[in-house]
Every structure is written in C-alpha cells, then in structure tokens.
Amino acid sequence: MIPADLISALANHLWQSTLFAAAAGLLALALRRNHARTRHSLWLIASLKFLIPFSLLIAVGSHFGWSTAPAVTQSGFSFVEQVGRPFTGPVHGSPLAIHPVVNLLPMILVSLWICGFLIVACVWCIRWRRIQAAVRSASPSHLKLDVPVLSSPALLEPGVFGIFRPVLLLPEGITESLTPEQINAILAHEFCHVRRRDNLAAAIHMLVEAIFWFHPLVWWIGARLVEERERACDEEVLRLGNPPQVYAESILQTCQFYLESPLACMSGVTGADLKKRVVRIMTHCAAQHLSVGKKLLLAAAAALAIAAPITFGLVNASQSDAVSEAPTTPKPSFEVASIKPNHSGANAVGMFPSPGWLRVRNYTLKSLIEGAYGLANYQISGASGWMDSERYDVVAKAADAANFTQMEPMLQALLIDRFRLKFHHEWKERDVYSLEVAKSGEKIHVSSAADNRRPSIRILDDAVIGHKTSMETFAWALRGQLDRPVVNRTGLQGSFDFDLRYTPDGSSSEDPNVSSSASLFTAIQEQLGLKLNHARAPVEMLVIDYAQKPSEN
C-alpha cells in the first residue's frame, strides 16, 4: 500500500507548482514587450519549481522558528495554509478502522507513471545517441573559435552539443551553402547559446518532463522555453549589428538544407515558430529595458515566493512551541490499581466494570489491550510469548463513579504505565466479509421517524438486536461474531430495526456459500435480505512493539 500522506504530499506539490507556473505566466505576459531573456528566466524558474517543493522552504522556516514569539492567530495564515495544503490525508474517526474498498488506484497510477517515465527517458536516450554518433563521426573544422568546432557528415543543423564542455557541431559543406555574412550570423547565434548556457537549462527541463510527463503544463512550459530561448538569441544577434535580412535568410537557408536537432538540449539555429521569428527579425522591434516599476515587481514576486513558505514555517514552529510549552490536561488514570498474576489455570475469564471500579479476572495482556482499545483479536499483532499466555487479575478504582466507556482511556494509561506498552498502527491486507444486499433484495425494516427512542444494538450469543441502527454499526457488531472484519457494502442509508436470530455453533467459521438454516450467514440472508461474501481489504492493525511484565502490587 502507498501511504496516504505521500499521495497527499504529491498532490499538494503538483497544485503548488501549477499555481506557481500560472503566476510566472502572468509575469511573462506583463513583460511581453521586454527582453526575451527575462521571460525565459521566468519560465525556467517555473520549471525548477516542479523539482523543489515548497515543503523544503517550510521546513527551513520551521528549523529556525523562534522559541518566544507573540501570539499569532491561525486565521492570519489560513489562506497560505489552504494554498499550501489543499489536499490532506484521510482522517479516521476511531483509532482503528477498516477501509470499505480496496484502493488499487494509487498502485495503478504509480505503474502508469513508471511506464510513462521509462518511455520518455528512452526517447530522449535514443535521440541523445543519434547526436553522439554524429559527434563521434565529426572531424575538427578549420574554423578557430573560442569553442571547439567539429564538422559532421550528418545533415543536422548547426548546433551546440554538450553541457559542461560544449562543442559547436557544423554540417559539412555549410560554408559553401551560405554566404560569409550568413555564416557569421549563424555563429553569433550559436555563441549566444553557449554564453547563456541554454543546454543546461534545456537538460533540466527535460528531467522535469520525464518526471512529470503526465502534466500538460510541463510540456507547455517546454515550448515557451524554446520560444523565448531562440528569441533571446535573435535579439542578441541583431544587437551585435548583423543585418536583419541577412540573419533571416541564414535561418531559412539552414532550414532548407539541414534537419532540426532531435534534442531540446542541443541548441540550434532553428526552433520555435519560424514564421513569427522571421517577422520579428525583419521588423526588428527593439525590446524595451525593464523599468524601475517592473524591476520592483520581479523583486517582490521573488521575495514572496521565497519568504511566504519560510515565514509560514516560522509561524508554525512558534505555534508548535507555544503548544508544547502550554500546560497539558492530565490524562485520565485510575486512582489506585493492582495487577497480579493469575496462576489458577482456570479457563473462566471476565471483565466486570461497575461505577468507579474495574475488575478483570484471568486476562492476558493481549486481551487487556482488546478491552482497552475496543479491538477484535485479529486487529492485534506482535503479541507473542508471555503476552498471549500469562494471565493477570486487575482491580482498579477511579476517582469518581466512572462507567466503562470513561474507564477505557484509564485502562490504556494503566497498560502503558505498568506494562511499559509501546505500539504503532499500520495497514495490512486481510480477509474480510463484505456485507451486501442479496439478489432477492433487502428485507430489513426502516426505523420509524416518529420513534423517539435512542439508537441501540444488543449483541447476544445467538442474536443481534438493533433499534435505529445504521448498516455501519451492524457490520461493526457482526465482527465480534465472526473470525474477521465485516465491511459494509450494502449502500443502504438511514436507520433500521431488526431482530436477527441464529444458531452460533460453527457460525464463526462456516463458508457463506454453504446453505444451513441455522447459520449466521443464512439467517442474515433469509431474515434481513443481506449476505456475507468473502473479500480482501486493508485493515488498520495495532502492532505491539514492546511490553514487559509488571511488578506485583
């Protein structure tokens, strides 16, 4: 099973990254008349956000949280918290619960993600090997430039290959196909890619596309990165004094004679929308420099993106410290308690609560845990050796006339204190019974709305009598009569009255498909129009990690 907390964290990260990319898009729109390199940086930051969850910054803030801080109301950061964590894991109303349906969706989604990741990675790998083959077959060029220049027989466009040690790959015969002025424009374009380290930026986004291949926004950001990357280089080439007509002709001639690079991280001269590029080059509309106001806008956006999650972590840390330092309400406990081993060898056991008193006879530690936490035997694991064999008598007195329900947390505290009990919860796939409506239809009586009596359910050795009882409560009651949990899958809503009578002998192990007029399974079907089927479902278990024998007193 995939932890629900992990699924929640991934959903939150995707939501945060999508919101961050939308904000980057609004900023890029506001800066559409400015230099393309600024917009390219915005889209690159939006891409990097997919690799950096806000939870890291929140953790940084929590680590440096101040220990003494003024009281901060939670509502002040409610919007930040809702944006940061709109998806939360399941909250269980009881310590132990049973999922009504086996949730295979997370495992299916993970399998699909692995397949998609491998497909994208294989495609990039195949294209990378094509470029590598072209580089290996290339020979040194006569051009002497700041970057190694190779001449390749492959019909690929001129491009820069490599991230940390880039080389300029030129197709053979390009100097005969283009004029010297066009060659100079092409080289100016490629050196602009080298100076900007565009291959590194493209490789980072390729990693983002491989990991988040399922997110359409990631691929859209990739297209924006290529568009702004090429536009930024076009602006730089024209700024260096290359004639717009010559530069536009060099791009068109390259597209005519050579193929575009198959890799996004190999920066070439073509790419993006050629028609729009040529129009921009020929019109040569100079990009505006950032005004003071837009610089302040970018600075404020960057400060907010970093400071907001860190501040949220600081505030959470200070609130946690305040809670930890605040006086805690004492846990309920017995006023006096005695635990003694029972060596009688008798089979008779019993738990006898009375107002203000609890007497337990001949119980094992495992049985005591069942009573303290309201569990069935199959919901406890890790009880081995003496925990499930040695028996004890317990006599405990509460400070007031508490009933057994009020004594349950007291018994829990007693087990933790005297037995040094330590445990944890985990989900395990187990055999269960699925309570469903029979083919003949339900026969159970709906409770009258005019009935003002309180809901109740009585569980006897040979009967289960319910009044204004829900199907969830009925399924919970059946678990004590069977050897496994019961999951309600009837779909019946509301409250019901029933008087289920059956013969208990053998009912806890009888197959529901075997007909027997006295069995619990047949009685449920004949009297209530329901049925019990075998199924599998995850069940939350209490796992005992440690316990020691108590001292006598």
XYZ file of all heavy atoms in Angstrom, residues 149-212:
496
model
N 35.153 23.420 -32.672
C 34.227 23.331 -33.797
C 34.484 22.020 -34.529
O 35.630 21.699 -34.861
C 34.402 24.523 -34.763
C 33.402 24.420 -35.913
C 34.238 25.837 -34.026
N 33.417 21.256 -34.755
C 33.512 19.980 -35.449
C 32.665 20.033 -36.710
O 31.592 20.657 -36.729
C 33.038 18.837 -34.552
C 33.801 18.612 -33.237
C 33.169 17.476 -32.446
C 35.269 18.310 -33.518
N 33.138 19.345 -37.731
C 32.408 19.262 -38.998
C 31.861 17.851 -39.140
O 32.622 16.872 -39.127
C 33.338 19.599 -40.165
O 32.648 19.509 -41.392
N 30.522 17.742 -39.256
C 29.869 16.435 -39.246
C 29.245 16.126 -40.603
O 28.671 17.020 -41.247
C 28.786 16.402 -38.164
O 28.024 15.223 -38.263
N 29.346 14.873 -41.057
C 28.682 14.498 -42.324
C 27.169 14.371 -42.174
O 26.455 14.276 -43.168
C 29.330 13.143 -42.659
C 29.747 12.587 -41.333
C 30.138 13.762 -40.496
N 26.674 14.358 -40.943
C 25.227 14.232 -40.740
C 24.527 15.518 -41.168
O 25.062 16.614 -41.028
C 24.925 13.948 -39.269
N 23.323 15.374 -41.707
C 22.570 16.532 -42.196
C 21.783 17.172 -41.045
O 20.552 17.284 -41.084
C 21.627 16.098 -43.319
C 22.302 15.624 -44.602
C 21.269 15.169 -45.615
C 23.165 16.750 -45.185
N 22.502 17.563 -40.017
C 21.881 18.224 -38.887
C 22.187 19.710 -38.942
O 23.241 20.119 -39.448
C 22.398 17.647 -37.565
C 22.000 16.208 -37.238
C 22.668 15.762 -35.948
C 20.491 16.073 -37.123
N 21.299 20.509 -38.426
C 21.516 21.947 -38.392
C 22.708 22.263 -37.494
O 23.070 21.464 -36.630
C 20.282 22.653 -37.847
C 19.988 22.283 -36.392
C 18.942 23.194 -35.760
O 19.166 24.412 -35.766
O 17.936 22.676 -35.271
N 23.330 23.423 -37.672
C 24.390 23.829 -36.756
C 23.829 23.906 -35.336
O 22.727 24.399 -35.101
C 24.787 25.215 -37.272
C 24.353 25.242 -38.689
C 23.126 24.395 -38.757
N 24.611 23.399 -34.392
C 24.132 23.399 -33.020
C 25.254 23.200 -32.029
O 26.348 22.733 -32.379
N 24.965 23.549 -30.783
C 25.924 23.393 -29.690
C 25.565 22.124 -28.940
O 24.441 21.973 -28.434
C 25.890 24.611 -28.748
C 26.864 24.399 -27.592
C 26.232 25.878 -29.506
N 26.517 21.187 -28.870
C 26.299 19.915 -28.180
C 27.164 19.878 -26.921
O 28.338 20.255 -26.943
C 26.676 18.743 -29.100
C 26.536 17.401 -28.442
C 25.289 16.838 -28.260
C 27.659 16.719 -27.989
C 25.161 15.595 -27.642
C 27.531 15.488 -27.376
C 26.281 14.921 -27.201
N 26.577 19.398 -25.832
C 27.311 19.320 -24.579
C 26.837 20.379 -23.603
O 26.383 21.458 -23.995
N 26.982 20.046 -22.324
C 26.505 20.956 -21.278
C 27.669 21.658 -20.601
O 27.701 22.890 -20.514
C 25.657 20.175 -20.257
C 24.400 19.610 -20.945
C 25.270 21.061 -19.087
C 23.560 18.719 -20.062
N 28.621 20.903 -20.116
C 29.744 21.492 -19.386
C 30.966 21.730 -20.281
O 31.763 22.618 -20.012
C 30.119 20.600 -18.204
C 28.970 20.374 -17.256
C 28.319 19.154 -17.219
C 28.523 21.393 -16.428
C 27.256 18.942 -16.360
C 27.464 21.192 -15.561
C 26.817 19.957 -15.522
N 31.126 20.929 -21.335
C 32.202 21.129 -22.315
C 31.583 21.169 -23.709
O 31.683 20.230 -24.482
C 33.233 20.007 -22.230
C 33.990 19.975 -20.898
C 34.994 18.849 -20.880
N 35.734 18.816 -19.629
C 36.658 17.894 -19.322
N 36.958 16.948 -20.223
N 37.281 17.921 -18.167
N 30.922 22.283 -24.034
C 30.185 22.335 -25.300
C 31.107 22.371 -26.509
O 32.228 22.886 -26.450
C 29.385 23.638 -25.180
C 30.193 24.487 -24.236
C 30.825 23.530 -23.261
N 30.611 21.795 -27.590
C 31.301 21.863 -28.884
C 30.286 22.340 -29.914
O 29.087 22.084 -29.800
C 31.885 20.500 -29.305
C 32.952 20.046 -28.326
C 30.785 19.446 -29.424
N 30.768 23.055 -30.900
C 29.907 23.545 -31.973
C 29.963 22.547 -33.121
O 31.032 22.289 -33.680
C 30.359 24.932 -32.436
C 29.592 25.543 -33.612
C 28.107 25.629 -33.293
C 30.162 26.904 -33.955
N 28.830 21.982 -33.457
C 28.740 20.963 -34.499
C 28.164 21.611 -35.757
O 27.019 22.075 -35.767
C 27.850 19.811 -34.038
C 27.877 18.527 -34.865
C 29.270 17.892 -34.815
C 26.832 17.538 -34.347
N 28.982 21.646 -36.817
C 28.553 22.226 -38.086
C 28.468 21.126 -39.138
O 29.329 20.242 -39.197
C 29.544 23.295 -38.558
C 29.709 24.543 -37.678
C 30.774 25.450 -38.269
C 28.385 25.279 -37.544
N 27.437 21.152 -39.976
C 27.359 20.159 -41.055
C 28.404 20.455 -42.135
O 28.745 21.622 -42.399
C 25.934 20.328 -41.594
C 25.571 21.726 -41.241
C 26.276 22.044 -39.960
N 28.933 19.396 -42.745
C 29.919 19.574 -43.811
C 29.303 20.335 -44.987
O 28.151 20.121 -45.359
C 30.426 18.212 -44.289
C 31.283 17.482 -43.274
C 31.759 16.136 -43.808
O 31.301 15.737 -44.901
O 32.574 15.487 -43.123
N 30.079 21.240 -45.526
C 29.628 21.975 -46.699
C 28.766 23.177 -46.401
O 28.236 23.798 -47.344
N 28.600 23.524 -45.134
C 27.735 24.667 -44.829
C 28.345 25.978 -45.321
O 27.637 26.910 -45.698
C 27.446 24.740 -43.317
C 26.354 25.781 -43.062
C 28.696 25.041 -42.512
C 25.848 25.803 -41.636
N 29.686 26.040 -45.352
C 30.331 27.280 -45.824
C 30.095 27.492 -47.313
O 30.180 28.621 -47.808
C 31.840 27.225 -45.539
O 32.389 26.033 -46.104
C 32.099 27.252 -44.039
N 29.831 26.403 -48.070
C 29.513 26.547 -49.486
C 28.035 26.881 -49.700
O 27.655 27.472 -50.716
C 29.856 25.279 -50.267
C 31.335 25.031 -50.472
C 32.007 24.484 -49.220
O 31.265 23.978 -48.348
O 33.252 24.580 -49.102
N 27.178 26.492 -48.733
C 25.743 26.724 -48.886
C 25.332 28.118 -48.453
O 24.318 28.646 -48.935
C 24.951 25.693 -48.058
O 25.271 24.386 -48.446
N 26.095 28.736 -47.544
C 25.753 30.048 -47.030
C 26.863 31.044 -47.338
O 28.034 30.666 -47.495
C 25.522 29.982 -45.511
C 24.464 28.995 -44.998
C 24.395 29.050 -43.471
C 23.095 29.292 -45.593
N 26.489 32.302 -47.389
C 27.476 33.358 -47.620
C 28.249 33.622 -46.337
O 27.802 33.253 -45.244
C 26.776 34.646 -48.066
O 25.953 35.118 -46.980
C 25.911 34.404 -49.301
N 29.419 34.271 -46.412
C 30.167 34.577 -45.197
C 29.357 35.391 -44.186
O 29.464 35.172 -42.971
C 31.373 35.362 -45.718
C 31.558 34.882 -47.117
C 30.181 34.614 -47.635
N 28.543 36.336 -44.673
C 27.722 37.125 -43.739
C 26.706 36.239 -43.020
O 26.454 36.397 -41.823
C 26.997 38.248 -44.492
C 27.900 39.333 -45.047
C 28.571 38.912 -46.347
O 28.229 37.827 -46.876
O 29.448 39.658 -46.832
N 26.125 35.304 -43.755
C 25.162 34.401 -43.142
C 25.857 33.468 -42.146
O 25.301 33.164 -41.068
C 24.439 33.593 -44.225
C 23.528 34.438 -45.095
C 22.963 33.653 -46.265
O 23.472 32.578 -46.621
N 21.917 34.183 -46.893
N 27.060 33.004 -42.480
C 27.812 32.157 -41.549
C 28.103 32.920 -40.256
O 27.958 32.384 -39.146
C 29.125 31.670 -42.194
C 28.832 30.665 -43.312
C 30.032 31.041 -41.147
C 28.258 29.354 -42.826
N 28.492 34.179 -40.368
C 28.780 34.981 -39.171
C 27.534 35.137 -38.299
O 27.599 35.087 -37.063
C 29.313 36.361 -39.582
C 30.707 36.282 -40.165
O 31.468 35.350 -39.862
N 31.062 37.240 -41.017
N 26.377 35.317 -38.931
C 25.128 35.444 -38.167
C 24.796 34.137 -37.444
O 24.371 34.138 -36.282
C 23.986 35.865 -39.097
N 24.999 33.013 -38.155
C 24.731 31.709 -37.539
C 25.668 31.483 -36.348
O 25.244 31.039 -35.266
C 24.887 30.583 -38.570
C 23.807 30.677 -39.638
C 24.838 29.218 -37.885
C 22.408 30.465 -39.135
N 26.962 31.788 -36.532
C 27.917 31.596 -35.432
C 27.597 32.508 -34.254
O 27.732 32.106 -33.099
C 29.333 31.865 -35.944
C 29.879 30.867 -36.974
C 31.268 31.289 -37.425
C 29.908 29.453 -36.396
N 27.163 33.734 -34.540
C 26.786 34.647 -33.453
C 25.615 34.074 -32.660
O 25.566 34.169 -31.423
C 26.434 36.021 -34.023
N 24.680 33.452 -33.356
C 23.532 32.838 -32.699
C 23.976 31.685 -31.787
O 23.527 31.575 -30.632
C 22.543 32.333 -33.762
C 21.306 31.711 -33.183
N 20.119 32.397 -33.061
C 21.065 30.463 -32.687
C 19.210 31.614 -32.537
N 19.758 30.418 -32.304
N 24.865 30.836 -32.291
C 25.301 29.678 -31.509
C 26.140 30.101 -30.305
O 26.004 29.517 -29.217
C 26.101 28.719 -32.400
C 25.294 28.135 -33.553
C 24.014 27.459 -33.105
O 23.971 26.908 -31.985
O 23.028 27.492 -33.873
N 26.991 31.117 -30.465
C 27.788 31.569 -29.325
C 26.911 32.208 -28.250
O 27.241 32.181 -27.071
C 28.864 32.542 -29.790
C 30.051 31.874 -30.397
C 30.485 32.201 -31.672
C 30.729 30.886 -29.702
C 31.570 31.568 -32.244
C 31.830 30.251 -30.258
C 32.247 30.577 -31.537
N 25.795 32.760 -28.670
C 24.837 33.286 -27.689
C 24.278 32.151 -26.838
O 24.130 32.281 -25.619
C 23.711 34.025 -28.414
S 22.492 34.739 -27.299
N 23.983 30.996 -27.463
C 23.528 29.823 -26.705
C 24.594 29.371 -25.702
O 24.289 28.984 -24.579
C 23.206 28.668 -27.659
C 21.895 28.817 -28.364
N 20.722 29.061 -27.704
C 21.594 28.749 -29.695
C 19.723 29.124 -28.588
N 20.230 28.940 -29.810
N 25.858 29.408 -26.125
C 26.943 28.974 -25.247
C 27.043 29.892 -24.029
O 27.143 29.432 -22.893
C 28.276 28.936 -26.016
C 29.425 28.623 -25.056
C 28.217 27.886 -27.125
N 27.027 31.209 -24.276
C 27.158 32.158 -23.172
C 25.987 32.054 -22.190
O 26.169 32.206 -20.987
C 27.255 33.584 -23.719
C 28.570 33.903 -24.417
C 28.700 35.394 -24.678
N 27.627 35.889 -25.536
C 27.689 35.929 -26.860
N 28.784 35.483 -27.483
N 26.693 36.414 -27.576
N 24.822 31.774 -22.693
C 23.627 31.702 -21.846
C 23.472 30.344 -21.162
O 22.613 30.172 -20.325
C 22.379 31.982 -22.690
C 22.210 33.419 -23.116
C 21.110 33.553 -24.190
N 19.965 32.698 -23.897
C 18.958 33.034 -23.069
N 18.997 34.214 -22.457
N 17.952 32.215 -22.879
N 24.306 29.383 -21.526
C 24.201 28.011 -21.002
C 22.791 27.448 -21.220
O 22.174 26.862 -20.325
C 24.579 27.965 -19.518
C 26.024 28.338 -19.256
C 26.405 28.092 -17.805
N 27.796 28.435 -17.564
C 28.817 27.615 -17.766
N 28.584 26.393 -18.241
N 30.056 28.004 -17.526
N 22.297 27.621 -22.435
C 20.946 27.157 -22.752
C 20.833 25.640 -22.732
O 19.751 25.101 -22.461
C 20.529 27.688 -24.128
C 20.138 29.152 -24.074
O 19.712 29.601 -22.986
O 20.248 29.838 -25.103
N 21.917 24.939 -23.031
C 21.846 23.475 -22.990
C 21.583 22.958 -21.584
O 20.850 21.983 -21.384
C 23.145 22.878 -23.529
C 23.214 22.928 -25.041
O 22.339 23.486 -25.684
N 24.259 22.354 -25.608
N 22.179 23.600 -20.572
C 21.940 23.187 -19.187
C 20.488 23.431 -18.803
O 19.845 22.568 -18.184
C 22.879 23.953 -18.256
C 22.701 23.687 -16.751
C 22.920 22.216 -16.439
C 23.643 24.562 -15.941
N 19.964 24.595 -19.170
C 18.561 24.898 -18.865
C 17.633 23.899 -19.543
O 16.662 23.421 -18.946
C 18.227 26.321 -19.294
N 17.938 23.565 -20.811
C 17.093 22.618 -21.534
C 17.176 21.222 -20.923
O 16.171 20.498 -20.849
C 17.499 22.575 -23.006
N 18.363 20.821 -20.488
C 18.515 19.497 -19.871
C 17.729 19.410 -18.561
O 17.128 18.369 -18.249
C 19.995 19.208 -19.621
N 17.723 20.484 -17.785
C 16.943 20.494 -16.542
C 15.460 20.308 -16.846
O 14.766 19.539 -16.181
C 17.188 21.806 -15.769
C 18.624 21.847 -15.244
C 16.197 21.953 -14.618
C 19.007 23.163 -14.601
N 14.983 21.018 -17.855
C 13.553 20.871 -18.171
C 13.256 19.504 -18.771
O 12.135 18.997 -18.600
C 13.107 21.971 -19.132
C 11.623 21.978 -19.331
N 10.736 22.371 -18.354
C 10.861 21.573 -20.396
C 9.503 22.247 -18.796
N 9.554 21.760 -20.029
N 14.204 18.908 -19.462
C 13.975 17.541 -19.946
C 13.772 16.584 -18.781
O 12.944 15.665 -18.848
C 15.163 17.093 -20.802
C 15.216 17.732 -22.181
S 16.761 17.378 -23.062
C 16.673 15.595 -23.177
N 14.507 16.786 -17.689
C 14.310 15.973 -16.492
C 12.913 16.198 -15.916
O 12.236 15.243 -15.516
C 15.378 16.327 -15.448
C 15.254 15.643 -14.081
C 15.385 14.125 -14.228
C 16.300 16.181 -13.114
N 12.489 17.464 -15.888
C 11.139 17.767 -15.393
C 10.089 17.086 -16.267
O 9.115 16.511 -15.758
C 10.917 19.293 -15.361
C 9.473 19.621 -14.990
C 11.870 19.947 -14.368
N 10.277 17.112 -17.588
C 9.317 16.473 -18.489
C 9.285 14.966 -18.292
O 8.217 14.344 -18.395
C 9.678 16.797 -19.938
C 9.379 18.236 -20.340
C 9.771 18.534 -21.768
O 10.637 17.808 -22.312
O 9.231 19.492 -22.338
N 10.422 14.368 -17.998
C 10.452 12.917 -17.793
C 9.737 12.536 -16.501
O 9.016 11.532 -16.443
C 11.894 12.422 -17.760
N 9.913 13.340 -15.442
C 9.292 13.010 -14.151
C 7.804 13.334 -14.154
O 6.978 12.545 -13.691
C 10.010 13.768 -13.017
C 11.467 13.310 -12.913
C 9.290 13.554 -11.685
C 12.277 14.079 -11.886
N 7.459 14.498 -14.710
C 6.063 14.946 -14.689
C 5.474 14.897 -16.091
O 4.774 15.816 -16.515
C 5.978 16.372 -14.129
C 6.498 16.498 -12.722
C 7.798 16.907 -12.481
C 5.701 16.178 -11.641
C 8.290 17.016 -11.190
C 6.179 16.283 -10.343
C 7.478 16.696 -10.114
